[in-house]
Amino acid sequence: MASTTIPLPTPPSPTSSFTSPADFLTAYSTGTLLHSSSGPTPPLLLTDSPTARSHPLDLIGIASPDEHDRVRDLWRYIDLSPEETAELIRYPRMLKEFCGTGAANVSLMGVDRQFMLAEVGFEEWAGRCFARMRVDSICAHTLLLKHQGEGTVRERVFTVEDTREDWRFRSKSYVVSHPHIRSYAGVPLVSEGGYNLGTLATVHTSPRIWTDRERRILLDLSAAVVRELELVAERRRAEEGRRMQNSIRAFTARWWTSSPLDKRGMVREVLGRAVEVGGECLGCEGMLALDVRDAFAGGRGGRDEGGVCGEIARWEGMDGRLPRGSEVDVRWVREFVAAHPNGCVLDREPASSSEAICPLLSVDSTSAIVVPIYDHLSAPYALLVASLSSPKRHFLEMEVEYLSALGSACTAELLKRQIAAADHAKTVFISNISHELRSPLHGVLACGELLRKTELGVMQRRFVETMEGCGRTLMEVLSSVLDYSKMSRREEGSPAAKGRNGDEKEVREVDLARACEEVVDSCHAAFEFQQQSTGSCIDALSSEPKDMLDGSGVNVQVVLDVQRRLEGWIVRTAHAPAIRRCLMNLLGNSLKYTPNEESHWIRVSLAYEAGSVRMIVEDSGKGMTPEFVRERLFRAFTQEDSFHSGVGLGMTIVKNLVENLLSGTIEVESEFGRGTKITIMFPVEMVSLSPSPSPSAHGVVVDEVSKARMMVRGKKVYMDVGNPDTPFCAALFTASVRTYLEEWYGSTIVQDITHADVIVGGGQSVLTRKLLADPHFPCTEGKTVLALCSNADLLHLNDNVAVNARIVDFVSLPCGPAKLARSLEYCLAVDNRSKTNEALISPVIKMDNVDMVAPPVSTTDEVLPRVLVVEDNPINAMILSAYLSKRGILHQKAFNGALAVDTVKNDREGFDLVLMDLQMPVMDGFEASEAIRSYEAEVSDEGYERKKTRICALTGLDTGDDREKARRKGIDDFLTKPVSLDKMDRVIEDWQNRRAKVEVLN
């Protein structure tokens, strides 16, 4: 048998080199005395009495110098569940069998207790075979070994050959009584960080000398145990990471109740939620948030040296021991942030048990995390402090990182709330400014309507139509701005979808085909202007002005395909502005990301199927990568190509509008370098019309299309509209025009130009080039010729109209059903009149003196009202006066509410209708209406019979409160600017109908 590793310790002797217990314990804790050749010699006893001799010095509180770091590393393995340690039982079982001992175990050593992970042998006393208190455990001595792979096999294993002969263990209960342990061998379990976490040990009930083979078995098995523990710890770390991620996800998913305008309340709510979520996730006794903004006001140096920082939020667990009213000096805060900008763990040192580890915490706290939180400008504004009061546990670096991430989430939430507050202010501003824009927009649209009814040239007429379409689109955009802001608030928790009036949205009948055509025309015109107005700095400094129609406009082919429906495209919806906005954003993106070249194309399709509208915008542009489409396309403020103009909100708005307002779906197909196709579908309620509606039915498009169909049906049309240099684009455009001519208007397409009644040519087609080259091109003699071309082509062709008079009219691209119908109607009217030698004279409104009341021009017995126009804007007043003059309606004007009230009082006959603006100087429309109603009541009380004036508000205001206020003040009707002249016609018709009913009753 081999000799013993450790000679039996000798009893205390007067020659001991240690003169005090403290000196001996210090040396023993380093592990250097375990294998001393002379054995660990304790110091002289303080007394030589028989009692002291029978109870020699116990190694109470023995610990290595790195105990603090060891215990922190140990926390990853403490409190392992039985399921996690089930596989460890095989290692002590193998050790027991290989060594032929009575028992073996795997254990971890805590601060004051030994935690058994797996043990075998001596089953009848397994519950107490090893002392669970660290001070009584043999394994506590094994923990002091420091070789960790260095030294001989004997130096790396701690053995005791006979416990009854060793002064350290001979008085222990497990030696002197059951189970009578006589020999021991153990090896430390060394973690990846190099700390002794616990032991793998075996014991026997008789003395024995341990062999090198047995020691190697211990070393090999201990390495396997450590690998098993590391796997368990890794799984636990992964689980803790998932729990931390889930807690941050739960934190960010919270619906905040504080107002974004209450900044202090918002910070308190967010940080209060953070300490609650963080405390529950960490399982700590308590957590608080400290407001440190004053400590860093004016920069990292702070504002002044005095003062304190107080808590702003706290959370306490069941055993929480946070002091109430925690405050800390600003100097401590500054010093801590300067020393630990990313936060750290503060643990109690053994020598400072009477001092708090942090000024914010009680003396009972043993471990704490303190993490600064920084705002978006990297200035600290809070500290997160988590506290533990258990000596069995210490915080880990992973938990510091978690609190740092939670602090970043707090900053992100506060920043989002600040953005929400800014967005609220923006919404208020946009609401106010949109009201101010309605009045001039009313003037633009009404002037366009009046101008369209005067004598205009071909190009002038097309420009007026474009101006009107752009104006109507702008009107819808202004309206949808408020709708979208209210929709966004609904997403944040508002209970119901409200319109911009604050009430349920008003359902209107809208011609969807016309709306889409106007949006396409407006976007095309805007993009064309952008292309023409964009030039180099040299161009900008050039002395010669740039020709706005020099051919530098839109070269990409834009095609509008609208499915023919015999029932028409009138839909009943409350969200027409949202539909326009979706198409504007989608078409705007296509125009922006498709090269402005003749070989590229954009197609907008509108179709109806199974109760839903399908709107498709596809292009041959640059396309998008699959990753961007899948992960970032609908994320706000995101663009795949950040060098393009825009802020990255267009698709986010489209998705919100389609899904939240229209209750529809959006589908995106894109291939990088090939193009994009976006399809939106949403349910609609179609208004069923007869296949041949009357000219006055449901809007302009039905009227124009039905008129064109009556004039074109049965006629033979020869068409050559495509550019032969771009065959695919030419095919798309030709198919679209062919659909309009055949399905919409009922004409017959012929291939022989000599048999045609109407010729339709494109600006770059072969036919048009022949017409320009040969003014006497024989095939067009006696035929109506219509040219479809861009504005640049239109200018070039228009210069040749005097030479080649057979081109009767032009249609600017892109071309839709309404625009083509107007041109066909005009061309055939010109052709019919020229054949009968009638002069082609458009109805003209004489604009020389619009302020004068015009005499009636109607030869019928139509009853017309006497009208008072109350409008402070001279342009709008002039337009209304021109309209009323055209209708032959007698009227007067007043430029503020006070003048209006005086005019009503001084007029003996009385006015039938008052068109009242609501925002005016001196006296606004609300006060004026109330005064008129009071005057009418006063006159009625005096016995005079006076007809009641109908008051109609024409205003830029458009909120629910304004409408309710108008109703209370006696206003009968409420129209929001801009008001079309068609609406004014309906106002007059409504008055006439009401008067007719009164006469019938009388």
Side-chain angles (χ1 to χ4, degrees):
M1 298 290 292
S3 59
T4 59
T5 301
I6 304 178
L8 294 178
T10 58
S13 66
T15 59
S16 171
S17 59
F18 300 103
T19 59
S20 68
D23 291 341
F24 175 78
L25 289 176
T26 300
Y28 191 86
S29 64
T30 63
T32 57
L33 302 183
L34 290 178
H35 298 290
S36 173
S37 59
S38 60
T41 304
L44 293 172
L45 297 180
L46 297 179
T47 176
D48 197 21
S49 66
T51 302
R53 192 173 293 113
S54 62
H55 297 283
L57 180 65
D58 283 332
L59 301 177
I60 299 176
I62 186 172
S64 61
D66 62 354
E67 179 70 6
H68 180 273
D69 296 330
R70 187 195 74 83
V71 171
R72 178 180 295 174
D73 196 36
L74 175 68
W75 175 243
R76 295 186 299 153
Y77 311 90
I78 292 293
D79 289 342
L80 296 177
S81 66
E83 292 77 11
E84 292 175 309
T85 60
E87 298 296 326
L88 294 177
I89 191 66
R90 64 177 182 267
Y91 298 108
R93 183 176 290 124
M94 287 188 291
L95 179 61
K96 177 177 176 296
E97 294 297 327
F98 288 152
C99 296
T101 54
N105 67 53
V106 176
S107 65
L108 298 178
M109 194 67 67
V111 176
D112 56 2
R113 292 180 64 85
Q114 183 179 9
F115 302 95
M116 294 296 175
L117 301 183
E119 54 185 338
V120 295
F122 301 146
E123 286 78 5
E124 69 277 7
W125 53 269
R128 56 188 183 87
C129 64
F130 294 109
R132 294 307 196 272
M133 297 303 296
R134 178 175 175 176
V135 66
D136 292 324
S137 174
I138 303 180
C139 295
H141 299 260
T142 307
L143 209 67
L144 301 177
L145 286 177
K146 297 299 179 184
H147 297 292
Q148 303 172 7
E150 301 176 359
T152 65
V153 172
R154 298 189 174 213
E155 291 174 339
R156 295 163 59 191
V157 181
F158 177 65
T159 59
V160 178
E161 297 179 349
D162 192 345
T163 57
R164 291 185 180 179
E165 300 297 329
D166 194 308
W167 66 274
R168 295 168 295 182
F169 312 115
R170 62 191 178 194
S171 61
K172 301 296 183 183
S173 60
Y174 49 82
V175 175
V176 299
S177 61
H178 187 78
H180 301 287
I181 293 176
R182 295 293 300 275
S183 56
Y184 169 92
V187 62
L189 301 176
V190 184
S191 70
E192 291 181 346
Y195 299 103
N196 294 348
L197 305 177
T199 61
L200 172 66
T202 183
V203 296
H204 199 54
T205 55
S206 62
R208 67 181 297 165
I209 297 177
W210 302 94
T211 66
D212 288 346
R213 172 182 172 275
E214 292 168 334
R215 291 186 176 90
R216 290 191 184 94
I217 290 173
L218 273 167
L219 292 171
D220 292 341
L221 290 178
S222 68
V225 171
V226 170
R227 287 194 294 270
E228 191 83 25
L229 287 175
E230 291 294 345
L231 289 175
V232 173
E234 188 62 35
R235 288 194 293 268
R236 171 176 282 193
R237 283 194 294 270
E239 180 61 31
E240 291 175 352
R242 285 191 292 270
R243 187 177 71 251
M244 292 175 180
Q245 290 178 353
N246 292 336
S247 72
I248 293 180
R249 188 178 298 113
F251 170 79
T252 56
R254 177 184 176 108
W255 296 107
W256 306 103
T257 58
S258 62
S259 169
L261 302 179
D262 181 9
K263 187 174 181 180
R264 182 166 293 274
M266 181 173 58
V267 172
R268 184 179 294 106
E269 182 184 18
V270 171
L271 292 180
R273 175 62 175 166
V275 297
E276 178 184 354
V277 169
E280 292 176 351
C281 180
L282 296 177
C284 58
E285 280 83 3
M287 190 168 173
L288 60 83
L290 187 73
D291 186 350
V292 300
R293 285 173 290 186
D294 290 343
F296 298 96
R300 285 292 183 94
R303 186 165 47 193
D304 51 37
E305 291 299 323
V308 294
C309 297
E311 71 174 61
I312 193 172
R314 71 163 50 225
W315 174 86
E316 293 185 3
M318 296 183 62
D319 299 325
R321 300 181 181 180
L322 292 175
R324 294 288 176 182
S326 299
E327 290 183 346
V328 66
D329 190 272
V330 296
R331 288 172 293 185
W332 182 90
V333 173
R334 294 173 190 154
E335 292 172 0
F336 177 85
V337 173
H340 308 284
N342 298 320
C344 69
V345 176
L346 300 177
D347 286 330
R348 180 185 304 285
E349 299 293 341
S352 59
S353 59
S354 61
E355 299 179 3
I357 58 177
C358 171
L360 289 165
L361 303 177
S362 64
V363 178
D364 297 332
S365 299
T366 58
S367 184
I369 301 177
V370 183
V371 174
I373 308 179
Y374 301 90
D375 60 19
H376 64 287
L377 298 176
S378 300
Y381 67 90
L383 290 182
L384 290 181
V385 183
S387 171
L388 286 174
S389 300
S390 171
K392 300 178 183 179
R393 178 185 168 189
H394 294 262
F395 283 121
L396 303 176
E397 191 63 32
M398 180 181 184
E399 293 162 317
V400 178
E401 296 173 357
Y402 162 71
L403 282 190
S404 296
L406 185 60
S408 299
C410 290
T411 301
E413 288 298 325
L414 291 173
L415 187 58
K416 285 198 298 186
R417 299 291 285 172
Q418 293 174 9
I419 293 174
D423 186 66
H424 174 76
K426 180 186 69 176
T427 300
V428 173
F429 169 77
I430 291 177
S431 175
N432 292 333
I433 201 65
S434 67
H435 295 160
E436 296 300 323
L437 288 174
R438 292 181 190 275
S439 291
L441 187 56
H442 170 72
V444 171
L445 290 176
C447 279
E449 286 189 70
L450 293 172
L451 189 59
R452 179 161 41 87
K453 297 176 182 180
T454 63
E455 292 180 346
L456 297 174
V458 174
M459 283 191 62
Q460 293 169 331
R461 181 154 44 87
R462 298 297 169 240
F463 290 152
V464 169
E465 291 174 355
T466 301
M467 179 185 71
E468 288 184 294
C470 293
R472 281 190 293 268
T473 301
L474 179 58
M475 175 186 67
E476 296 290 359
V477 170
L478 289 175
S479 300
S480 67
V481 165
L482 295 180
D483 288 340
Y484 180 70
S485 65
K486 290 185 179 294
M487 181 197 68
S488 299
R489 288 196 292 274
R490 182 191 70 178
E491 289 176 351
E492 294 178 0
S494 124
K498 302 290 183 181
R500 62 180 182 272
N501 300 330
D503 305 316
E504 295 296 331
K505 285 284 295 178
E506 177 187 359
V507 177
R508 296 182 298 161
E509 292 184 357
V510 179
D511 193 306
L512 200 55
R514 178 185 181 184
C516 291
E517 185 172 352
E518 288 178 350
V519 170
V520 171
D521 209 30
S522 300
C523 291
H524 188 276
F527 188 74
E528 184 174 39
F529 177 80
Q530 182 184 16
Q531 293 297 113
Q532 293 165 348
S533 60
T534 302
S536 64
C537 296
I538 298 176
D539 294 335
L541 296 175
S542 174
S543 58
E544 296 184 4
K546 186 177 181 180
D547 187 356
M548 296 303 291
L549 290 173
D550 62 355
S552 62
V554 181
N555 296 318
V556 60
Q557 183 75 61
V558 180
V559 177
L560 175 61
D561 281 335
V562 182
Q563 180 190 55
R564 167 63 172 164
R565 295 190 76 249
L566 296 178
E567 301 85 354
W569 273 99
I570 305 297
V571 300
R572 186 175 288 110
T573 179
H575 304 300
I579 298 173
R580 284 178 176 263
R581 181 70 187 211
C582 289
L583 182 55
M584 285 179 62
N585 286 6
L586 296 179
L587 181 56
N589 281 344
S590 291
L591 287 168
K592 181 166 63 173
Y593 292 109
T594 302
N596 189 25
E597 301 170 359
E598 293 181 349
S599 60
H600 285 273
W601 53 270
I602 299 171
R603 179 166 58 187
V604 179
S605 304
L606 185 67
Y608 177 81
E609 57 183 38
S612 296
V613 167
R614 184 181 71 243
M615 186 182 296
I616 302 176
V617 178
E618 54 184 327
D619 59 60
S620 62
K622 64 184 297 185
M624 297 172 285
T625 61
E627 293 78 14
F628 182 79
V629 173
R630 184 174 58 252
E631 300 176 3
R632 301 171 56 204
L633 176 60
F634 299 112
R635 188 182 303 172
F637 305 108
T638 301
Q639 289 181 291
E640 187 171 26
D641 185 354
S642 58
F643 292 99
H644 264 90
S645 59
V647 296
L649 281 175
M651 292 305 297
T652 305
I653 293 174
V654 170
K655 180 176 172 54
N656 285 334
L657 290 174
V658 170
E659 295 181 351
N660 295 317
L661 278 188
L662 303 179
S663 301
T665 59
I666 181 169
E667 179 181 346
V668 180
E669 303 173 40
S670 186
E671 183 177 353
F672 189 74
R674 297 293 299 274
T676 301
K677 177 181 179 180
I678 299 179
T679 304
I680 61 175
M681 292 192 68
F682 50 92
V684 295
E685 178 186 356
M686 282 290 183
V687 178
S688 298
L689 300 177
S690 61
S692 299
S694 63
S696 60
H698 291 283
V700 177
V701 171
V702 175
D703 186 33
E704 291 169 338
V705 171
S706 61
K707 287 182 178 180
R709 186 175 180 82
M710 288 186 291
M711 300 180 70
V712 179
R713 180 187 297 172
K715 290 187 178 296
K716 298 176 182 179
V717 179
Y718 176 84
M719 56 178 293
D720 179 15
V721 296
N723 184 349
D725 299 332
T726 56
F728 186 80
C729 296
L732 287 179
F733 185 39
T734 300
S736 175
V737 177
R738 188 184 190 98
T739 298
Y740 296 143
L741 292 173
E742 288 185 331
E743 299 181 14
W744 282 72
Y745 312 130
S747 62
T748 302
I749 304 299
V750 297
Q751 302 301 320
D752 188 347
I753 193 172
T754 60
H755 297 160
D757 302 310
V758 178
I759 298 174
V760 179
Q764 298 293 330
S765 67
V766 174
L767 174 63
T768 305
R769 294 174 183 177
K770 290 181 179 180
L771 284 173
L772 293 177
D774 182 9
H776 303 288
F777 189 61
C779 297
T780 60
E781 292 291 343
K783 303 180 185 302
T784 300
V785 180
L786 178 65
L788 311 179
C789 49
S790 67
N791 281 334
D793 295 333
L794 192 152
L795 179 63
H796 179 58
L797 295 175
N798 197 50
D799 291 338
N800 295 275
V801 170
V803 178
N804 184 7
R806 287 185 294 277
I807 299 181
V808 181
D809 199 10
F810 301 91
V811 178
S812 60
L813 299 181
C815 176
K819 187 187 293 185
L820 185 57
R822 287 194 296 267
S823 292
L824 285 171
E825 180 187 353
Y826 175 78
C827 289
L828 294 175
V830 171
D831 186 59
N832 291 337
R833 290 173 180 174
S834 63
K835 290 178 181 179
T836 58
N837 295 320
E838 294 181 4
L840 180 62
I841 303 176
S842 299
V844 180
I845 301 175
K846 297 300 183 181
M847 306 293 290
D848 298 325
N849 194 349
V850 297
D851 291 336
M852 297 297 293
V853 178
V857 296
S858 175
T859 59
T860 66
D861 295 331
E862 182 183 22
V863 179
L864 298 174
R866 295 184 73 248
V867 178
L868 175 62
V869 177
V870 187
E871 172 64 70
D872 65 320
N873 188 304
I875 297 177
N876 289 338
M878 179 198 71
I879 293 170
L880 289 173
S881 180
Y883 163 77
L884 295 172
S885 298
K886 174 181 176 292
R887 289 288 307 263
I889 297 175
L890 296 175
H891 61 277
Q892 293 187 31
K893 292 186 290 186
F895 294 99
N896 60 58
L899 291 176
V901 174
D902 291 341
T903 302
V904 169
K905 290 180 179 181
N906 296 330
D907 187 83
R908 295 182 179 181
E909 187 176 352
F911 292 97
D912 299 298
L913 182 64
V914 175
L915 303 179
M916 180 77 72
D917 187 19
L918 296 182
Q919 292 179 306
M920 296 179 294
V922 183
M923 178 185 289
D924 63 28
F926 295 111
E927 296 173 342
S929 299
E930 185 177 32
I932 291 173
R933 295 305 185 208
S934 298
Y935 172 71
E936 290 175 343
E938 178 183 341
V939 171
S940 177
D941 291 341
E942 294 177 358
Y944 294 99
E945 292 188 4
R946 184 183 179 93
K947 58 186 176 183
K948 182 180 178 181
T949 301
R950 184 168 180 80
I951 302 177
C952 178
L954 302 180
T955 177
L957 300 175
D958 192 18
T959 67
D961 292 340
D962 293 326
R963 288 176 178 267
E964 177 60 25
K965 183 178 179 181
R967 186 190 62 80
R968 293 197 309 268
K969 298 297 184 180
I971 296 176
D972 301 292
D973 202 357
F974 195 102
L975 296 179
T976 302
K977 296 177 181 178
V979 180
S980 68
L981 300 185
D982 291 336
K983 285 186 179 180
M984 292 303 306
D985 287 338
R986 290 196 288 272
V987 170
I988 302 300
E989 292 173 4
D990 181 64
W991 176 86
Q992 291 172 332
N993 294 334
R994 291 175 182 274
R995 185 178 185 278
K997 290 180 180 180
V998 172
E999 290 180 350
V1000 170
L1001 293 176
N1002 293 336

